[in-house]
Amino acid sequence: MIGIDIVDVPRFGGLLARRPSVVERLFTPAERAYAEARADPTERLAARFAAKEAVMKALGAGFGDVAFRDIEVVRAPGGRPEVVLGGRAAARAERAGVTGWHLSLSHTPTTAVAVALAVAAGTAPPVEGTS
């Protein structure tokens, strides 16, 4: 199962400026701390929002099916992004047989994109050295 999402960074930044409380509803404390280590956290938050949407798409979930904070983007040793699920997102992934995730993020000052690939039981593992 695969999901992809793209976010217009300036538009997302406008939302954050108009409704600052949305950051707490969408992102975990660790995600906020990671993004806020930059003078302008907008690109990093936009990439994580795209990742959450991509994971939802891979799970076949729509708005309200899972909470945004049930999907967390963390950095593995070496900096690679990883998906950690909780709550309804974890339950949905378990029902679907998802045993792991591959996540790719990219962002510029204008665009953030994420691709999420859910690995299900019985599927071949990735080739060593790739993700």
Side-chain angles (χ1 to χ4, degrees):
M1 300 170 284
I2 191 166
I4 186 169
D5 196 65
I6 188 166
V7 173
D8 181 290
V9 173
R11 184 174 175 200
F12 189 75
L15 169 68
L16 299 180
R18 286 188 313 277
R19 300 187 60 202
S21 65
V22 77
V23 173
E24 290 181 17
R25 285 200 337 264
L26 297 176
F27 302 101
T28 67
E31 289 171 320
R32 292 191 311 266
Y34 172 74
E36 290 166 0
R38 297 280 187 184
D40 182 359
T42 307
E43 285 179 36
R44 288 180 173 190
L45 290 173
R48 275 144 188 78
F49 182 77
K52 291 168 186 269
E53 292 256 327
V55 167
M56 285 182 189
K57 290 174 182 176
L59 290 172
F63 287 112
D65 292 336
V66 299
F68 281 96
R69 286 178 43 146
D70 285 350
I71 303 166
E72 183 175 29
V73 178
V74 300
R75 289 175 54 94
R80 179 173 49 90
E82 290 186 341
V83 175
V84 176
L85 300 180
R88 292 183 310 221
R92 191 175 188 105
E94 185 177 341
R95 284 192 307 273
V98 174
T99 58
W101 291 90
H102 295 283
L103 180 64
S104 183
L105 307 175
S106 189
H107 55 81
T108 70
T110 59
T111 306
V113 65
V115 176
L117 175 67
V119 178
T123 61
V127 176
E128 187 62 32
T130 64
S131 58

